[in-house]
């Protein structure tokens, strides 16, 4: 079906031609409650240049926006910042229309990834420091390996002082307004933190390397691959990335658990209140009710992580196992915590949770709390006292 989507001008002869995925609620397991955008940019210069494409499901929207400015067949250059298909998915379709276009990608990882997905196209691999003149403008390429794939790259245009940053500085946030200052800043910053926690948390060192490489550039606009384009709050989002990539944590606690018959739940409530009594804000997450991607976003900058599970069939509950598996992959830094749980007879789950916390790099600061059946008033008082007396 024809659509009437149009390009949006972001600078003289530079246009946003991306797509808006209003309905996205799950991005490979990351719960995206506010949808997303897959941003692509078109530069009209002596060489007509397209920076990134979009998910294949949205090729018609992408082509409509490009076509509102120029015939896609006239594109001379396609910059592929990242092989992941949310950005490269429509590359084959665009390349089929723009038959002579060169496709810029990193060497060797971009080249390998694009070739594997889209076959032999007209690739032109680039490396760190390479520049291309497209007429009045220059494009400089800065590979950002493992931020968050081996092939990832950002592109800087010095004449415009625009950084095309792909996944970096972005957020999964569907909006009809393209710029940061046209949206609620707290909302986009909280979505940017959620994006960082769920996508970039394992790559803090690589993020710091990239921030250093970009440190000397004068930037007046960050044209991201997802969500808003930063033009007003550039130093705010860069400072957030400096903080997030440093692994800095705050004096806060997250208590994460599942419960079968409310006993582990009562323990979770007691532990949450004990931290609050120590003047350490604590958030209580029953895994039945809160998406993992929201929980890990809070854990990311909370110093303390306390995890509980009852025992079922000699195991921790599957919800807790899923949570710990997801957390471990994100390689959290600088957290401390302990395990707890109630059980009926065998009670293996609590030691399993403690082992998984250790495997995730969490420093254990209190011996695991194991309670059979229903915790008594005295046991709850003892748990509160132990937490209150805990030297942190
Ligand atoms: Fe937005 Fe890593 O793709």
């Amino acid at each position: 079906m024809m659509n009437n989507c149009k390009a949006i001008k972001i600078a003289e002869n530079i246009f946003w031609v991306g797509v808006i995925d209003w309905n996205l609620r799950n991005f490979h397991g990351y719960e995206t409650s506010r949808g997303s955008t897959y941003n692509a940019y078109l530069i009209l210069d002596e060489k007509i240049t397209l920076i990134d494409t979009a998910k294949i499901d949205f090729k018609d929207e992408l082509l409509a926006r490009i076509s509102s400015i120029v015939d896609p067949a006239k594109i001379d250059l396609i910059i592929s910042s990242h092989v992941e298909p949310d950005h490269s998915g429509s590359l084959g379709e665009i390349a089929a229309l723009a038959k002579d276009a060169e496709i810029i990608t990193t060497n060797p990882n971009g080249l390998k990834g694009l070739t594997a997905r889209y076959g032999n196209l007209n690739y032109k691999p680039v490396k760190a420091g390479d520049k291309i003149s497209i007429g009045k403008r220059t494009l400089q390429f800065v590979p950002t390996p493992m931020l968050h794939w081996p092939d990832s790259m950002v592109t800087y245009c010095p004449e415009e002082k625009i950084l095309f940053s792909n996944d970096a500085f972005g957020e999964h946030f569907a909006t009809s307004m393209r710029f940061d200052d046209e949206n609620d800043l707290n909302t986009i910053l909280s979505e940017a933190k959620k994006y960082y926690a769920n996508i970039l948390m394992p790559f803090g060192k690589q993020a710091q390397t990239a921030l250093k490489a970009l440190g000397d550039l004068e930037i007046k606009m960050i044209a991201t691959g997802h969500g808003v384009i930063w033009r007003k709050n550039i130093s705010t989002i860069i400072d957030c990335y400096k903080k997030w990539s440093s692994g800095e944590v705050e004096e806060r606690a997250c208590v994460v658990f599942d419960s079968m018959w409310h006993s582990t739940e009562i323990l979770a409530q007691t532990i949450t209140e004990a931290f609050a009594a120590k003047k350490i804000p604590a958030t209580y997450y029953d895994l039945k009710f809160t998406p993992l991607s929201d929980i890990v976003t809070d854990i990311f900058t909370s110093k303390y992580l306390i995890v509980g599970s009852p025992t079922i069939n000699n195991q921790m509950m599957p919800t807790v196992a899923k949570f710990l598996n997801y957390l471990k992959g994100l390689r959290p830094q600088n957290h401390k915590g302990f395990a707890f749980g109630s059980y009926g007879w065998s009670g293996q789950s609590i030691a399993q949770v403690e082992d998984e916390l250790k495997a995730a790099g969490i420093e254990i600061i209190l011996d695991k709390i194991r309670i059979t059946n229903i915790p008594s008033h005295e046991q709850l008082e003892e748990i509160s006292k132990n937490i209150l007396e805990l030297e942190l």
Side-chain angles (χ1 to χ4, degrees):
M1 199 188 302
M2 286 290 290
N3 68 66
N4 195 33
C5 295
K6 301 277 197 299
I8 294 174
K9 181 176 167 182
I10 65 164
E12 203 53 42
N13 284 323
I14 304 182
F15 300 86
W16 174 85
V17 289
V19 308
I20 307 174
D21 191 349
W22 294 102
N23 294 332
L24 184 78
R25 291 294 177 270
N26 189 309
F27 188 91
H28 57 49
Y30 164 173
E31 295 94 342
T32 49
S33 55
R34 290 190 170 101
S36 194
T37 71
Y38 314 116
N39 297 335
Y41 301 94
L42 186 70
I43 307 176
L44 296 187
D45 207 321
E46 285 168 30
K47 285 186 181 172
I48 296 175
T49 301
L50 177 68
I51 300 184
D52 292 321
T53 68
K55 260 188 190 175
I56 186 67
D57 322 63
F58 293 87
K59 70 176 187 324
D60 291 345
E61 183 175 335
L62 173 74
L63 280 167
R65 293 197 200 276
I66 295 170
S67 302
S68 71
I69 298 294
V70 70
D71 177 353
K74 293 188 173 160
I75 293 171
D76 299 295
L77 204 57
I78 304 168
I79 314 295
S80 174
S81 313
H82 182 22
V83 174
E84 195 164 11
D86 51 330
H87 305 288
S88 74
S90 303
L91 183 63
E93 276 65 21
I94 301 281
L97 294 169
K99 292 190 191 317
D100 297 326
E102 280 189 319
I103 300 166
I104 306 289
T105 183
T106 52
N107 197 12
N109 293 311
L111 184 59
K112 277 190 211 161
L114 292 181
T115 306
R117 285 182 177 276
Y118 307 106
N120 288 317
L121 298 175
N122 189 18
Y123 301 118
K124 179 176 167 53
V126 292
K127 58 184 186 325
D130 282 357
K131 296 177 186 177
I132 290 182
S133 171
I134 57 169
K136 291 181 187 151
R137 300 172 182 83
T138 313
L139 298 178
Q140 288 175 208
F141 305 107
V142 183
T144 52
M146 294 319 295
L147 207 64
H148 65 122
W149 276 22
D151 65 282
S152 298
M153 168 176 91
V154 301
T155 300
Y156 180 65
C157 177
E159 294 81 5
E160 303 285 351
K161 301 181 174 48
I162 299 179
L163 179 71
F164 297 94
S165 67
N166 193 257
D167 279 339
F169 309 116
E171 66 284 338
H172 284 314
F173 180 53
T175 167
S176 59
M177 306 308 284
R178 302 275 56 85
F179 291 99
D180 58 337
D181 51 280
E182 298 172 321
N183 289 276
D184 177 66
L185 182 60
N186 286 333
T187 303
I188 51 179
L189 286 173
S190 80
E191 289 296 337
K193 181 184 174 191
K194 183 174 172 181
Y195 188 93
Y196 189 101
N198 284 274
I199 304 280
L200 301 176
M201 196 197 296
F203 307 115
K205 279 196 183 123
Q206 291 87 343
Q208 296 217 314
T209 304
L211 286 166
K212 263 189 207 144
L214 302 174
D216 295 334
L217 303 179
E218 190 183 346
I219 298 172
K220 73 169 191 188
M221 189 181 287
I222 301 178
T224 63
H226 297 290
V228 300
I229 299 166
W230 299 95
R231 66 178 174 189
K232 183 177 178 197
N233 300 286
I234 290 171
S235 60
T236 305
I237 187 66
I238 289 177
D239 287 347
C240 283
Y241 264 59
K242 285 180 182 164
K243 178 183 168 190
W244 296 334
S245 62
S246 74
E248 185 183 319
V249 287
E250 296 155 12
E251 201 67 7
R252 291 188 292 110
C254 292
V255 181
V256 182
F257 69 98
D258 201 349
S259 190
M260 290 164 67
W261 296 107
H262 304 295
S263 292
T264 302
E265 180 184 313
I266 291 167
L267 295 176
Q269 189 183 43
T270 300
I271 293 165
T272 305
E273 297 214 351
F275 271 93
K278 276 174 93 68
K279 304 295 177 205
I280 296 174
T283 310
Y284 166 105
Y285 290 111
D286 183 332
L287 285 159
K288 287 189 284 297
F289 301 107
T290 310
L292 291 188
S293 47
D294 289 324
I295 298 174
V296 299
T297 304
D298 194 5
I299 291 170
F300 172 46
T301 50
S302 295
K303 188 187 284 184
Y304 307 105
L305 170 60
I306 324 301
V307 180
S309 176
T311 299
I312 180 167
N313 301 328
N314 303 333
Q315 304 294 321
M316 68 179 91
M317 286 186 78
T319 44
V320 181
K322 181 180 171 187
F323 159 69
L324 288 168
N325 177 274
Y326 188 58
L327 182 75
K328 197 162 55 172
L330 291 170
R331 302 205 293 268
Q333 301 288 318
N334 304 326
H335 302 282
K336 301 177 180 205
F338 57 88
F340 68 97
S342 155
Y343 63 98
W345 56 99
S346 58
Q348 295 94 331
S349 61
I350 304 111
Q352 291 167 358
V353 168
E354 188 182 83
D355 287 346
E356 286 297 287
L357 287 173
K358 286 179 188 165
I362 314 292
E363 181 189 340
I364 302 299
I365 52 169
L366 188 68
D367 195 21
K368 47 194 169 298
I369 297 170
R370 299 173 86 246
I371 299 290
T372 47
N373 293 300
I374 298 171
S376 66
H377 175 72
E378 291 72 26
Q379 285 173 318
L380 295 175
E381 285 291 318
E382 177 76 12
I383 291 166
S384 299
K385 181 170 164 286
N386 288 343
I387 293 172
L388 273 169
E389 289 174 355
L390 194 57
E391 286 187 23
L392 298 171

